[in-house]
Amino acid sequence: SYVLTQPPSVSVAPGRTARITCVGNNIEDKGVHWYQQKPGQAPLLVMYYDSDRPSEIPERFSGSNSGDTATLTISRVEAGDEADYYCQVWDGDSGHHVFGSGTKVTVL
Amino acid sequence: QVQLVESGGGVVQPRTSLRLSCVASGITLSNHGIHWVRQAPGKGLEWVALMSPDESKTYYADSVKGRFSVSRDNSKNTAYVQMNGLTTEDTAVYYCASTGLREDDSLDLWGPGTMVTVSS
């Protein structure tokens, strides 16, 4: 089955840039979606199809996908960005959706 | 207000069954695919199942295939997941989420979740 690998944690100072990676075999051939989950809350879609941003998500959030790595980038990080972030793809070969293991973003 | 709300969670014994509901407001469920996703305590997200908008296609994670079944009642704008043969491994918060017409569309709108605890 298709596997997505994320770093367990990323720490970043306020105002700096956080980059969260999601590694999968030839992931560039798939549409990658990203979700933000704060404690006690349901996930929230923050990026879809690699680099499209829902209208309610700040422009500070951007995405890319190349080779085996998709990346969610958060510019000018704020305290409110502290959360768990998950990548997700559809694996057509297995007929399964797959989530990455999640990355906890800590704002120092 | 556009929202999904799950219900039906609770504490059940192993090897029993439970049916969760997902009521939609502000959207017509028959125009959307519906996912079920779960999250065990302190763990990450695990995709469980997907039903296509026209109900012609259903997909299940290997961990639940043969035990869980998804359905919907368009007249009630409600989706369901029937969970049979529950084990302690099924203990989790269960979320429903709406999606588009394609299998690879994102999960756009999520409910707040309902907790299922399987314990003897």
Side-chain angles (χ1 to χ4, degrees):
Chain A
S1 60
Y2 196 78
V3 176
L4 296 174
T5 301
Q6 297 182 237
S9 62
V10 168
S11 297
V12 58
R16 304 302 293 264
T17 298
R19 293 180 180 85
I20 306 162
T21 57
C22 175
V23 177
N25 187 42
N26 293 323
I27 198 172
E28 67 178 357
D29 294 334
K30 302 181 183 300
V32 180
H33 313 302
W34 291 90
Y35 305 88
Q36 176 195 70
Q37 186 181 34
K38 296 182 178 180
Q41 297 184 16
L44 172 71
L45 178 69
V46 296
M47 198 68 57
Y48 61 100
Y49 286 120
D50 303 339
S51 58
D52 288 329
R53 190 181 59 251
S55 58
E56 66 272 21
I57 302 302
E59 293 183 3
R60 300 184 295 104
F61 287 77
S62 62
S64 63
N65 186 6
S66 179
D68 290 339
T69 304
T71 304
L72 178 70
T73 301
I74 311 173
S75 304
R76 302 180 299 283
V77 166
E78 302 174 357
D81 298 330
E82 192 163 277
D84 294 326
Y85 291 83
Y86 296 90
C87 57
Q88 176 251 321
V89 300
W90 160 251
D91 178 26
D93 291 338
S94 65
H96 293 169
H97 282 263
V98 180
F99 284 96
S101 48
T103 298
K104 181 176 182 60
V105 171
T106 299
V107 180
L108 301 172
Chain B
Q1 183 179 3
V2 178
Q3 64 178 5
L4 302 174
V5 178
E6 306 89 342
S7 63
V11 180
V12 297
Q13 293 191 332
R15 296 176 298 281
T16 61
S17 299
L18 199 62
R19 189 180 78 161
L20 305 182
S21 301
C22 171
V23 178
S25 303
I27 64 170
T28 301
L29 219 51
S30 57
N31 294 334
H32 297 267
I34 288 292
H35 288 270
W36 290 90
V37 176
R38 68 185 180 183
Q39 187 170 36
K43 302 297 184 182
L45 301 174
E46 179 188 12
W47 175 77
V48 172
L50 165 65
M51 169 173 276
S52 64
D54 63 359
E55 304 178 56
S56 64
K57 298 178 182 177
T58 54
Y59 304 91
Y60 296 94
D62 292 343
S63 57
V64 307
K65 195 167 187 177
R67 300 189 300 123
F68 288 18
S69 177
V70 293
S71 62
R72 62 165 44 141
D73 183 339
N74 291 333
S75 68
K76 297 181 179 179
N77 216 24
T78 300
Y80 305 97
V81 58
Q82 176 69 41
M83 306 186 295
N84 300 327
L86 288 164
T87 75
T88 56
E89 300 295 309
D90 297 316
T91 294
V93 174
Y94 284 75
Y95 299 99
C96 64
S98 63
T99 187
L101 302 179
R102 294 169 38 162
E103 282 97 341
D104 64 346
D105 279 337
S106 56
L107 285 66
D108 302 325
L109 177 67
W110 296 64
T114 186
M115 182 71 202
V116 173
T117 302
V118 184
S119 174
S120 55

